[in-house]
Amino acid sequence: HPRVHPVVAALAVCPCPECDDGSGATLVLEPTGGPAWKLVCTRCTLLVKLPETTHKAAVTRDVCAACGAQCLAVEYHKDKTPLA
């Protein structure tokens, strides 16, 4: 029996900062996706909402050199981007 389900492994971003107990709790990109994109913990109730203007989000293979988290690729609605 694998320790982590393949779906969870594909959507995992980083260890949960609230579950600092060695339990293996992980923040994952919510598998149901948009329109309300969010990261959720696999053990506790921690929830991180992405901006409402997010059109698409995905976990990439890139790893942050500073913290070791998987990077997210985020696309915003073309008329509502917060990056303008």
Side-chain angles (χ1 to χ4, degrees), residues 30-74:
E30 175 67 37
T32 58
W37 294 93
K38 57 192 168 228
L39 301 175
V40 295
C41 178
T42 57
R43 299 222 190 252
C44 74
T45 59
L46 181 65
L47 176 97
V48 180
K49 293 182 179 181
L50 297 181
E52 291 179 8
T53 56
T54 303
H55 176 66
K56 190 185 297 185
V59 178
T60 71
R61 292 181 184 230
D62 298 328
V63 176
C64 175
C67 70
Q70 293 297 125
C71 294
L72 293 175
V74 179

Side-chain angles (χ1 to χ4, degrees), residues 5-35:
H5 191 281
V7 172
V8 172
L11 298 172
V13 176
C14 64
C16 177
E18 297 292 321
C19 296
D20 190 18
D21 59 4
S23 66
T26 304
L27 281 183
V28 297
L29 183 63
E30 175 67 37
T32 58

